[in-house]
Amino acid sequence: MKLSILEPLGVEKDKLLKMCERAGGGNLEIAYYDTRILDSAVLVERSRDADIVILSNLPFKREVIEQCDSLKLILVAFTGVDHVAMDACRERGITVCNCAGYSTAAVADLVFGLLIALYRNILSCDRVVRTCGTKDGLVGYELEGKKFGVVGTGAIGMRVAKIAQAFGCEVLAYSRTKKPESGLTYVSMEELLANSDIVSLHVPLTDATRGLIGYDQLKLMKPNAVLINTARGPVVDSQALAQALKEGVIAGAGVDVFEIEPPIDPEHPLFYAPNLIATPHVAFATKEALYKRAVIVCDNLEKWLAGKPQNVIK
């Protein structure tokens, strides 16, 4: 059986290969590619003869999948699978397994990194202190006592909610699936937006969540509120967010995700908006998280080979 690792996973090559060999019981022929290539023709060449492929957030399109006649399993070293042509996988009976949970701590950490950077003007403070400046005009805000809105209460959303509570925030929550035992106060989306000082997004990208936050939703928010998006870029209308920031509809935003994967066009509308901190989709990218996901990938591989697949995306 052939396994093709289509891109580096942030773990040392030798270590990853040993993990995969162990998971495969020594019965896998493994090809490893140390470059991330988006070209479909190259991906077909790398995947054509493989029974199993491993990728992270590399787009894996229908045009590639349809030319991989041997493909039986796609191991996605990522939580979301919106970059994989799932319809094509279902049509061809290809199993897709993700790595839910590997980045829970990492993403939650960045939420508060972005938020505190906004609340305490950290980037501006750094620039000012290097040029003989003072704190004038840079007095910030505390998290304690703020209303913190969490949209989506999966594993990451719940961790963010607990950290927010530890900071002394009152947490409001909106989610398709409610968790009464969590102790969170669930409200409508409109109520959450209208009453929260901070709104943090933690939903997958689906037809229902694409464009979830547009100008009308931003208008519901407080003028001193901030928005944090570490979920998926298309969940927020970037043009609407840029407009809202320019008009003072909301006070600031922290954005880790865009409509496409970085590099991002320097002319992107958000880069011209005030009070915005942007990061290049790094929420998941910690040394610890990358190792965790390699472990989950290999565990998914081992379980599938044993006829007991786990983390299967339906």
Side-chain angles (χ1 to χ4, degrees), residues 56-92:
S56 60
N57 60 343
L58 188 71
F60 209 62
K61 302 176 182 178
R62 174 181 286 273
E63 64 196 63
V64 176
I65 293 169
E66 288 180 342
Q67 297 183 65
C68 299
D69 294 335
S70 300
L71 192 58
K72 303 174 184 66
L73 174 66
I74 300 175
L75 295 169
V76 181
F78 219 64
T79 301
V81 296
D82 48 276
H83 54 293
V84 176
M86 290 300 300
D87 288 348
C89 293
R90 295 184 186 103
E91 290 169 12
R92 301 174 74 85

Side-chain angles (χ1 to χ4, degrees), residues 24-290:
N27 298 315
L28 294 176
E29 178 184 335
I30 302 176
Y32 177 91
Y33 297 96
D34 60 3
T35 55
R36 177 183 168 86
I37 303 295
L38 302 181
D39 183 75
S40 292
V42 175
L43 288 175
V44 169
E45 186 63 30
R46 293 180 173 186
S47 310
R48 191 190 305 276
D49 298 326
D51 300 280
I52 306 162
V53 298
I54 296 175
L55 54 92
S56 60
N57 60 343
L58 188 71
F60 209 62
K61 302 176 182 178
R62 174 181 286 273
E63 64 196 63
V64 176
I65 293 169
E66 288 180 342
Q67 297 183 65
C68 299
D69 294 335
S70 300
L71 192 58
K72 303 174 184 66
L73 174 66
I74 300 175
L75 295 169
V76 181
F78 219 64
T79 301
V81 296
D82 48 276
H83 54 293
V84 176
M86 290 300 300
D87 288 348
C89 293
R90 295 184 186 103
E91 290 169 12
R92 301 174 74 85
I94 298 169
T95 301
V96 179
C97 300
N98 76 344
C99 287
Y102 83 94
S103 64
T104 299
V107 175
D109 284 357
L110 188 68
V111 167
F112 289 91
L114 291 170
L115 176 54
I116 292 171
L118 285 167
Y119 258 31
R120 298 304 302 269
N121 302 302
I122 289 175
L123 298 184
S124 296
C125 285
D126 178 80
R127 288 192 293 268
V128 163
V129 77
R130 293 171 186 269
T131 54
C132 301
T134 71
K135 71 179 187 306
D136 291 349
L138 295 174
V139 175
Y141 296 90
E142 295 178 2
L143 284 173
E144 186 177 28
K146 300 298 187 293
K147 290 187 177 180
F148 196 114
V150 175
V151 179
T153 54
I156 296 174
M158 286 301 302
R159 185 174 179 93
V160 168
K162 290 178 181 178
I163 296 172
Q165 289 172 328
F167 271 107
C169 298
E170 176 188 348
V171 177
L172 303 179
Y174 172 81
S175 188
R176 183 182 62 181
T177 303
K178 298 179 180 179
K179 298 178 178 176
E181 74 284 357
S182 66
L184 301 182
T185 301
Y186 281 91
V187 296
S188 69
M189 184 68 166
E190 292 74 17
E191 187 176 348
L192 182 147
L193 293 172
N195 289 284
S196 297
D197 300 293
I198 301 136
V199 175
S200 190
L201 305 177
H202 302 286
V203 293
L205 179 60
T206 65
D207 290 340
T209 62
R210 187 178 297 273
L212 180 69
I213 304 296
Y215 192 76
D216 289 343
Q217 288 71 37
L218 293 165
K219 285 280 286 184
L220 294 174
M221 294 173 65
K222 299 178 180 180
N224 63 347
V226 299
L227 177 73
I228 307 293
N229 186 13
T230 56
R232 286 291 183 271
V235 170
V236 177
D237 181 335
S238 291
Q239 188 66 56
L241 177 57
Q243 181 182 349
L245 289 167
K246 289 177 181 177
E247 295 176 354
V249 172
I250 64 171
V255 174
D256 183 54
V257 284
F258 297 81
E259 299 81 4
I260 61 171
E261 286 299 306
I264 307 298
D265 186 340
E267 298 300 312
H268 193 283
L270 285 176
F271 296 156
Y272 290 89
N275 302 321
L276 176 114
I277 296 178
T279 50
H281 200 178
V282 297
F284 70 95
T286 65
K287 292 290 186 181
E288 296 88 347
L290 296 180

